Amino acid sequence: MFKKTGALLLGSLSLLITGCGGSDSTEPAPIDPPPVVVQPDPKPDPEPTPDPEPTPDPEPEPEPEPEPEPDPTVFMDVIEAQGKQLVTDSIAWIDEQGIDCTNASQNHEMCEVQTVKFSDGQFNQDRTNKTQTILVLDYGMDFLSALRYRPRVKATYKYDPQTKTFIADNPQVSLSKLGVKLLQDINSFTFTDEKFTKPQEAFLPASWLSDLAAKYREVVPDDRFDRVTNRAFFSHGTKVFGYLAQHNPHAEFVLIDTASFIPFTQHKDELCAADLDTFLAHMKSAASSLKADIIDSHEIEYINYSGGFTLESVGNALNSNGCNDALDTEQRVQFLNAMKPVYDALFESPNTLAFHAGNEFATQSQDDLDLINYSNRVRVSQYSTGDKDTSITKGGLSGWQQVFVDNEDSFNGNESIDLYINVGYVPENGTGSHATNSTPKFDPDILGMRYQAEMSPFGSSWTTPVATSYALYEQVRLMSETQSTSFDPQKLKSRLISSDCKDVAELQGHEGLTKFIENGQGQCRVQDPLKHKADELNRIGYLTR
């Protein structure tokens, strides 16, 4: 603003001078140049501030040494020592407490009766291997499922005839508080070692617990029976499930109570009315539930089924239902075959291998379900060489031919049996003694705390868990050899039962042997896995101490 005012003033003065005269010069008056506005030199851009030197990352902490897996084959000495110390300490505690439940006047708290339900406990994945899931179909397993092996049981089921499906079960047992404590202590056993920062879960085999079993039975003899129902704990199912639980220490279990699944009786209206279509629809519903809710849901790899349905089952149901004349022979066969959807679910599930107690006389009795050659079923029976050992090699590849000839009467019904297993004993005959070979079938007692040679009458039910245990053992070996955790039922089945037994060896011309080979299409059906200690209990080393 100031600069513009100055220019106007100069211009006005110039006009005034020109108009007045006072000079005869004609040279025009000089005009001042416009003022020059001097712009200040621009400030130079500041020197860029250099980025600070990056702070170096701290040296990473070295990874801690991983703890070793608590592999019992490595830590067996420690597990055994501390497991046997548990036995010693438990016996000493019983003595210190003065517990004697045989004395009616004693009011010790440990003699009180306690009821334990399956739902009171929990499955413990740390004690099992996810690749060893066994579905057991049997009955009378309440004592083992609700208490003795509770941490290894994922679920229990029963059949509901109203919904025609399998639903969750909640078995329970009642016994002394002492019995509950001792068995829960065994189930929760852990061992310590300097290589671990915390205690490690471990299995204690029955053969290490016999002293504690004797003490327990001495002070509470009444715990052989349920203290509320007065029903004996020992049963068909405890014998089968008990064998599996002991001989497969890392296996986990899903159980179905087959006493709850007696469809010819539960659906007697359909049976007595000869309503085959409705009965078949019920069995399709049951089969669908079995497959989806149990086999697929729990990712079952192995099935152990010591039961089944025959024409005799139909006849017995007709008689008990009071309608014995309702069905003729052909209709009875039709109702039996209506059970096929259930068999399909058990024996055709693509990711399982089932072991089924074989029916040696299925051909004679026209029990068609036992004659179906399911690809994922192994039908099991037994033979016994008594007190004689065999020379049968692993997998039954050789040495079996002479055993067959020497015991031919034991191989009945070979059209319906896929695997014969030597049990290596003569049943107890009432004298208190029985003969065995050097590797007979051994069984745990009901408590899972004692271990002795089998002495029961022969039965495919008792041999089937031997076969299931044999399969699990071979699968462990197969995974080790292939470095794979995948489960292929067909690969495992062909490994168990090779087709390389077409040779009659030096027994050329023996008609029975030749026919046996032909009926079995050269499969190696006569085996002796007990001779080779082919189960996980032995492989891990619990019985070699």
Side-chain angles (χ1 to χ4, degrees):
M1 180 68 85
F2 172 77
K3 291 177 181 176
K4 286 184 178 180
T5 302
L8 289 173
L9 179 61
L10 288 172
S12 299
L13 289 173
S14 175
L15 288 173
L16 289 172
I17 295 170
T18 302
C20 295
S23 172
D24 20 62
S25 171
T26 60
E27 186 175 300
I31 300 174
D32 290 338
V36 177
V37 178
V38 178
Q39 296 289 344
D41 291 338
K43 290 182 180 180
D45 291 338
E47 288 292 327
T49 303
D51 291 335
E53 288 293 324
T55 304
D57 291 335
E59 288 293 324
E61 291 289 330
E63 289 289 330
E65 286 287 329
E67 289 191 345
E69 288 292 323
D71 185 348
T73 61
V74 175
F75 296 97
M76 188 62 73
D77 288 340
V78 177
I79 296 172
E80 181 181 21
Q82 295 182 24
K84 291 184 175 179
Q85 188 62 50
L86 172 67
V87 170
T88 301
D89 292 346
S90 298
I91 293 172
W93 178 81
I94 292 172
D95 289 337
E96 290 166 4
Q97 291 289 314
I99 301 171
D100 181 4
C101 302
T102 64
N103 185 349
S105 63
Q106 188 184 90
N107 295 316
H108 198 288
E109 180 187 1
M110 289 290 106
C111 297
E112 295 175 4
V113 173
Q114 180 177 352
T115 296
V116 180
K117 297 179 180 179
F118 180 79
S119 58
D120 292 336
Q122 288 186 326
F123 170 67
N124 184 353
Q125 187 69 76
D126 290 340
R127 289 190 172 270
T128 68
N129 187 326
K130 291 181 179 180
T131 67
Q132 299 180 10
T133 311
I134 305 175
L135 171 62
V136 183
L137 295 94
D138 221 305
Y139 60 92
M141 299 180 285
D142 296 359
F143 178 77
L144 301 186
S145 62
L147 181 58
R148 177 58 181 95
Y149 298 113
R150 177 62 185 92
R152 296 169 58 194
V153 180
K154 298 181 74 175
T156 59
Y157 291 91
K158 63 182 178 181
Y159 178 66
D160 178 17
Q162 301 302 314
T163 61
K164 290 79 179 176
T165 61
F166 290 90
I167 62 174
D169 196 7
N170 190 23
Q172 65 181 46
V173 291
S174 299
L175 65 161
S176 71
K177 287 185 176 180
L178 177 64
V180 174
K181 171 181 165 45
L182 293 179
L183 295 174
Q184 289 181 341
D185 286 350
I186 293 168
N187 286 341
S188 60
F189 170 75
T190 58
F191 72 95
T192 57
D193 186 86
E194 61 184 8
K195 295 182 176 62
F196 301 104
T197 58
K198 62 180 182 179
Q200 300 295 308
E201 315 269 6
F203 171 78
L204 293 178
S207 58
W208 295 357
L209 305 172
S210 57
D211 289 345
L212 182 56
K215 187 66 176 180
Y216 171 34
R217 287 303 194 207
E218 174 191 333
V219 299
V220 198
D222 289 344
D223 273 1
R224 289 181 172 84
F225 301 88
D226 188 289
R227 305 291 283 279
V228 173
T229 66
N230 204 36
R231 190 172 56 234
F233 288 135
F234 178 81
S235 70
H236 188 284
T238 57
K239 188 171 174 62
V240 171
F241 179 27
Y243 186 94
L244 290 167
Q246 282 290 319
H247 289 84
N248 303 280
H250 297 154
E252 56 191 33
F253 297 93
V254 176
L255 310 178
I256 295 177
D257 178 11
T258 55
S260 73
F261 187 51
I262 44 176
F264 297 129
T265 299
Q266 291 163 318
H267 301 298
K268 65 180 182 180
D269 290 345
E270 292 80 356
L271 186 74
C272 292
D275 187 354
L276 180 63
D277 290 342
T278 302
F279 183 83
L280 178 59
H282 294 343
M283 292 306 97
K284 287 181 178 178
S285 174
S288 177
S289 173
L290 173 61
K291 178 74 166 59
D293 301 333
I294 301 177
I295 295 174
D296 292 344
S297 176
H298 293 289
E299 299 181 329
I300 302 295
E301 285 100 7
Y302 308 89
I303 295 175
N304 192 106
Y305 185 21
S306 296
F309 297 93
T310 64
L311 277 176
E312 185 180 7
S313 306
V314 180
N316 289 341
L318 288 169
N319 186 53
S320 64
N321 292 338
C323 55
N324 198 51
D325 298 327
L327 304 178
D328 60 26
T329 301
E330 182 180 354
Q331 289 173 311
R332 293 183 183 208
V333 171
Q334 290 173 338
F335 267 86
L336 172 62
N337 290 336
M339 297 299 303
K340 188 173 182 295
V342 175
Y343 275 54
D344 292 347
L346 288 170
F347 307 135
E348 283 189 338
S349 291
N351 300 315
T352 65
L353 186 58
F355 295 84
H356 190 198
N359 178 357
E360 294 181 2
F361 304 103
T363 302
Q364 298 93 312
S365 57
Q366 296 182 307
D367 293 322
D368 295 342
L369 297 176
D370 292 320
L371 294 170
I372 299 173
N373 190 24
Y374 284 109
S375 59
N376 286 15
R377 171 171 72 169
V378 176
R379 296 162 294 182
V380 182
S381 190
Q382 78 290 315
Y383 70 95
S384 179
T385 57
D387 59 357
K388 296 181 177 61
D389 292 338
T390 74
S391 57
I392 297 176
T393 59
K394 288 184 177 180
L397 295 174
S398 66
W400 66 272
Q401 295 92 338
Q402 189 64 54
V403 171
F404 174 88
V405 171
D406 292 343
N407 302 275
E408 190 169 355
D409 290 345
S410 297
F411 300 97
N412 294 315
N414 67 72
E415 298 88 349
S416 58
I417 302 297
D418 302 305
L419 179 62
Y420 292 90
I421 289 178
N422 185 21
V423 292
Y425 71 90
V426 177
E428 198 274 325
N429 58 10
T431 64
S433 63
H434 67 295
T436 72
N437 67 8
S438 64
T439 56
K441 178 177 182 281
F442 267 72
D443 264 358
D445 70 348
I446 177 64
L447 298 172
M449 295 171 69
R450 284 184 283 205
Y451 197 62
Q452 64 182 11
E454 175 73 277
M455 61 178 66
S456 302
F458 297 142
S460 58
S461 287
W462 315 143
T463 315
T464 301
V466 179
T468 303
S469 303
Y470 173 33
L472 197 145
Y473 161 85
E474 284 295 341
Q475 175 65 15
V476 170
R477 295 181 64 222
L478 181 61
M479 289 193 299
S480 176
E481 292 167 7
T482 61
Q483 298 298 303
S484 170
T485 59
S486 64
F487 183 78
D488 183 337
Q490 287 306 302
K491 182 181 290 187
L492 178 56
K493 184 177 179 181
S494 63
R495 181 182 175 102
L496 289 171
I497 309 172
S498 166
S499 296
D500 295 329
C501 288
K502 302 179 177 68
D503 184 11
V504 297
E506 68 280 2
L507 298 166
Q508 190 73 34
H510 191 284
E511 184 178 347
L513 179 59
T514 301
K515 185 177 180 181
F516 182 82
I517 293 173
E518 291 174 353
N519 285 340
Q521 299 179 326
Q523 292 186 319
C524 300
R525 295 187 290 162
V526 181
Q527 298 198 32
D528 195 352
L530 295 174
K531 170 186 174 67
H532 300 289
K533 304 184 185 301
D535 59 57
E536 284 295 278
L537 187 68
N538 278 285
R539 184 194 67 81
I540 294 170
Y542 284 107
L543 297 184
T544 58
R545 312 303 297 162

